[in-house]
Coordinates of all heavy atoms in Angstrom, one line a residue:
L16 N 81.7 61.2 63.9 CA 80.7 61.0 65.0 C 79.4 60.8 64.3 O 78.6 59.9 64.8 CB 80.7 62.1 65.9 CG 79.7 62.0 67.1 CD1 80.2 60.9 68.1 CD2 79.5 63.3 67.8
M17 N 79.0 61.6 63.4 CA 77.7 61.5 62.8 C 77.4 60.1 62.2 O 76.3 59.6 62.5 CB 77.5 62.7 61.8 CG 76.1 62.7 61.2 SD 75.1 63.7 62.4 CE 74.8 65.1 61.5
L18 N 78.3 59.7 61.5 CA 78.1 58.3 60.9 C 78.1 57.2 61.9 O 77.2 56.3 61.8 CB 79.2 58.1 59.8 CG 79.2 59.1 58.6 CD1 80.4 58.8 57.7 CD2 77.9 58.9 57.9
W19 N 79.0 57.3 62.8 CA 79.1 56.2 63.7 C 77.9 56.2 64.7 O 77.3 55.3 65.0 CB 80.5 56.4 64.6 CG 80.6 55.4 65.7 CD1 80.8 54.1 65.7 CD2 80.6 55.8 67.0 NE1 81.0 53.6 67.0 CE2 80.9 54.6 67.8 CE3 80.4 57.0 67.7 CZ2 80.8 54.6 69.3 CZ3 80.5 57.1 69.2 CH2 80.7 55.7 69.9
L20 N 77.6 57.5 65.2 CA 76.5 57.6 66.3 C 75.1 57.4 65.7 O 74.3 56.9 66.3 CB 76.7 58.9 67.0 CG 76.1 59.1 68.3 CD1 76.6 58.0 69.3 CD2 76.5 60.4 68.9
A21 N 75.0 57.8 64.4 CA 73.8 57.7 63.8 C 73.3 56.1 63.7 O 72.2 55.8 64.0 CB 73.7 58.2 62.4
N22 N 74.3 55.3 63.5 CA 74.0 53.9 63.4 C 73.6 53.3 64.8 O 72.7 52.5 64.9 CB 75.3 53.1 63.0 CG 75.5 53.2 61.5 OD1 74.5 53.4 60.8 ND2 76.7 53.2 61.0
I23 N 74.3 53.8 65.8 CA 74.1 53.3 67.2 C 72.7 53.7 67.6 O 71.8 53.0 68.1 CB 75.2 53.8 68.2 CG1 76.5 53.0 67.8 CG2 74.7 53.5 69.6 CD1 77.6 53.5 68.5
L24 N 72.4 55.0 67.4 CA 71.1 55.6 67.8 C 70.0 55.1 67.2 O 68.9 54.8 67.7 CB 71.2 57.1 67.7 CG 72.1 57.9 68.7 CD1 72.0 59.3 68.4 CD2 71.8 57.6 70.1
A25 N 70.1 54.8 65.8 CA 69.1 54.2 65.1 C 68.7 52.8 65.6 O 67.6 52.3 65.6 CB 69.4 54.1 63.6
A26 N 69.8 52.0 65.9 CA 69.6 50.7 66.4 C 68.9 50.6 67.8 O 68.1 49.8 68.1 CB 70.9 50.0 66.5
H27 N 69.4 51.5 68.7 CA 68.9 51.5 70.2 C 67.8 52.5 70.4 O 67.2 52.3 71.5 CB 70.1 51.7 71.0 CG 71.1 50.6 70.9 ND1 70.9 49.4 71.4 CD2 72.4 50.5 70.4 CE1 72.0 48.6 71.3 NE2 72.8 49.4 70.5
E28 N 67.6 53.5 69.6 CA 66.6 54.5 69.8 C 66.7 55.1 71.3 O 65.7 55.1 72.0 CB 65.2 54.0 69.5 CG 65.0 53.6 68.0 CD 63.6 53.1 67.7 OE1 62.8 53.0 68.6 OE2 63.5 52.8 66.5
K29 N 67.8 55.5 71.7 CA 68.1 56.1 73.0 C 68.7 57.4 72.9 O 69.4 57.9 73.7 CB 69.1 55.1 73.8 CG 68.6 53.7 74.0 CD 67.6 53.6 75.1 CE 67.3 52.2 75.4 NZ 66.0 51.9 75.9
N30 N 68.1 58.3 72.0 CA 68.6 59.7 71.9 C 68.5 60.4 73.1 O 69.5 61.1 73.6 CB 67.8 60.4 70.8 CG 68.1 60.0 69.5 OD1 68.1 58.8 69.1 ND2 68.5 60.9 68.6
T31 N 67.3 60.4 73.8 CA 67.1 61.3 74.9 C 68.0 60.8 76.1 O 68.6 61.8 76.8 CB 65.7 61.2 75.4 OG1 64.7 61.4 74.2 CG2 65.3 62.1 76.5
Q32 N 68.2 59.6 76.3 CA 69.0 59.2 77.4 C 70.4 59.4 77.1 O 71.1 59.9 78.0 CB 68.8 57.6 77.7 CG 67.3 57.3 78.1 CD 66.4 57.1 77.0 OE1 66.6 57.4 75.8 NE2 65.2 56.3 77.3
C33 N 70.8 59.2 75.9 CA 72.2 59.5 75.5 C 72.5 61.0 75.6 O 73.7 61.4 76.1 CB 72.6 59.0 74.1 SG 72.6 57.3 73.9
L34 N 71.6 61.8 75.2 CA 71.8 63.2 75.4 C 72.0 63.6 76.9 O 72.8 64.4 77.2 CB 70.5 64.0 74.7 CG 70.6 65.5 75.0 CD1 71.7 66.2 74.2 CD2 69.2 66.1 74.4
Q35 N 71.2 63.0 77.8 CA 71.4 63.3 79.2 C 72.7 62.8 79.6 O 73.5 63.4 80.4 CB 70.3 62.6 80.1 CG 70.4 63.0 81.5 CD 69.1 62.6 82.2 OE1 68.4 61.7 81.8 NE2 69.1 63.2 83.4
A36 N 73.2 61.6 79.2 CA 74.5 61.1 79.6 C 75.7 62.0 79.2 O 76.6 62.3 80.0 CB 74.7 59.6 79.1
Y37 N 75.5 62.5 77.9 CA 76.6 63.4 77.5 C 76.6 64.8 78.0 O 77.5 65.4 78.1 CB 76.6 63.4 75.9 CG 77.3 62.1 75.4 CD1 76.6 60.9 75.2 CD2 78.7 62.0 75.2 CE1 77.3 59.8 74.7 CE2 79.3 61.0 74.7 CZ 78.6 59.9 74.4 OH 79.3 58.7 73.9
T38 N 75.4 65.1 78.5 CA 75.2 66.3 79.2 C 76.0 66.3 80.6 O 76.7 67.2 81.0 CB 73.7 66.8 79.4 OG1 73.1 67.0 78.2 CG2 73.6 68.0 80.2
Y39 N 75.8 65.1 81.2 CA 76.6 64.8 82.4 C 78.1 64.8 82.1 O 79.0 65.3 83.0 CB 76.2 63.5 83.0 CG 74.8 63.5 83.8 CD1 74.0 62.5 83.5 CD2 74.5 64.6 84.6 CE1 72.7 62.6 84.1 CE2 73.2 64.7 85.1 CZ 72.3 63.6 85.0 OH 71.0 63.7 85.5
L40 N 78.5 64.3 81.0 CA 79.9 64.3 80.7 C 80.4 65.7 80.5 O 81.6 66.1 81.0 CB 80.2 63.5 79.3 CG 81.6 63.5 78.9 CD1 82.5 62.8 79.9 CD2 81.8 62.8 77.5
Q41 N 79.6 66.6 79.8 CA 80.0 67.9 79.6 C 80.2 68.6 81.0 O 81.2 69.3 81.3 CB 79.0 68.7 78.8 CG 79.4 70.1 78.6 CD 78.4 70.8 77.6 OE1 77.1 70.6 77.8 NE2 78.8 71.6 76.7
E42 N 79.2 68.3 81.9 CA 79.3 68.9 83.3 C 80.6 68.4 84.1 O 81.2 69.2 84.7 CB 78.0 68.5 84.1 CG 76.8 69.2 83.7 CD 75.5 68.6 84.5 OE1 75.7 67.8 85.4 OE2 74.5 69.0 84.2
T43 N 80.9 67.2 83.9 CA 82.0 66.5 84.5 C 83.2 67.2 83.9 O 84.3 67.5 84.7 CB 82.1 65.1 84.3 OG1 80.8 64.5 84.9 CG2 83.3 64.4 85.0
L44 N 83.4 67.4 82.7 CA 84.6 68.0 82.1 C 84.7 69.5 82.6 O 85.8 69.9 83.0 CB 84.4 68.1 80.5 CG 84.4 66.7 79.8 CD1 84.2 66.9 78.3 CD2 85.7 66.0 80.0
Q45 N 83.6 70.1 82.7 CA 83.6 71.6 83.2 C 84.1 71.6 84.6 O 84.8 72.5 85.1 CB 82.3 72.2 83.0 CG 81.9 72.5 81.5 CD 80.5 72.9 81.3 OE1 79.7 72.9 82.2 NE2 80.3 73.5 80.0
E46 N 83.7 70.6 85.4 CA 84.1 70.5 86.8 C 85.6 70.1 87.0 O 86.2 70.6 87.9 CB 83.2 69.6 87.6 CG 81.8 70.0 87.7 CD 80.8 68.8 88.2 OE1 81.3 67.7 88.3 OE2 79.6 69.0 88.2
Q47 N 86.0 69.2 86.2 CA 87.3 68.6 86.4 C 88.6 69.1 85.6 O 89.6 68.9 86.0 CB 87.2 67.1 86.2 CG 86.2 66.4 87.0 CD 86.6 66.4 88.5 OE1 87.7 66.3 88.8 NE2 85.6 66.7 89.4
L48 N 88.2 69.8 84.5 CA 89.3 70.2 83.7 C 89.5 71.8 83.6 O 88.6 72.4 84.0 CB 89.1 69.8 82.1 CG 88.9 68.3 81.9 CD1 88.6 68.1 80.4 CD2 90.1 67.5 82.3
P49 N 90.7 72.1 83.4 CA 91.1 73.6 83.4 C 90.2 74.2 82.4 O 89.7 73.7 81.3 CB 92.5 73.7 83.0 CG 93.0 72.4 83.3 CD 91.9 71.3 83.2
S50 N 90.0 75.6 82.6 CA 89.1 76.4 81.6 C 89.6 76.3 80.2 O 88.8 76.4 79.2 CB 88.8 77.8 82.1 OG 90.0 78.5 82.2
V51 N 90.9 76.3 80.0 CA 91.5 76.4 78.7 C 91.1 75.0 78.0 O 90.7 75.2 76.7 CB 93.0 76.5 78.7 CG1 93.7 76.2 77.4 CG2 93.5 77.9 79.2
C52 N 91.1 74.0 78.6 CA 90.8 72.7 78.0 C 89.3 72.7 77.6 O 88.8 72.4 76.6 CB 91.0 71.5 79.1 SG 92.7 71.2 79.4
N53 N 88.5 73.2 78.6 CA 86.9 73.4 78.3 C 86.7 74.3 77.1 O 85.8 74.0 76.3 CB 86.2 73.7 79.6 CG 86.0 72.6 80.5 OD1 85.5 71.5 80.1 ND2 86.4 72.7 81.6
Q54 N 87.4 75.3 76.9 CA 87.1 76.3 75.9 C 87.4 75.5 74.5 O 86.8 75.7 73.6 CB 88.1 77.4 76.0 CG 87.6 78.4 77.0 CD 88.7 79.5 77.3 OE1 89.8 79.5 76.8 NE2 88.3 80.5 78.1
L55 N 88.6 74.7 74.5 CA 89.0 73.9 73.3 C 87.9 72.8 73.0 O 87.6 72.5 71.9 CB 90.4 73.4 73.5 CG 91.5 74.5 73.3 CD1 92.7 73.8 73.8 CD2 91.5 75.1 72.0
L56 N 87.4 72.3 74.0 CA 86.4 71.1 74.0 C 85.0 71.6 73.6 O 84.2 70.7 73.1 CB 86.5 70.3 75.1 CG 87.8 69.5 75.4 CD1 87.7 68.9 76.8 CD2 87.9 68.4 74.4

């Protein structure tokens, strides 16, 4: 992830917005998946 995402973020400079999008993904996972899945993720 570090190598792949570093290239994308350097090109688009959207860290803050991406962080918010992935925070929403984390919230969605917590809402939609069983707790065992969330513990592993």
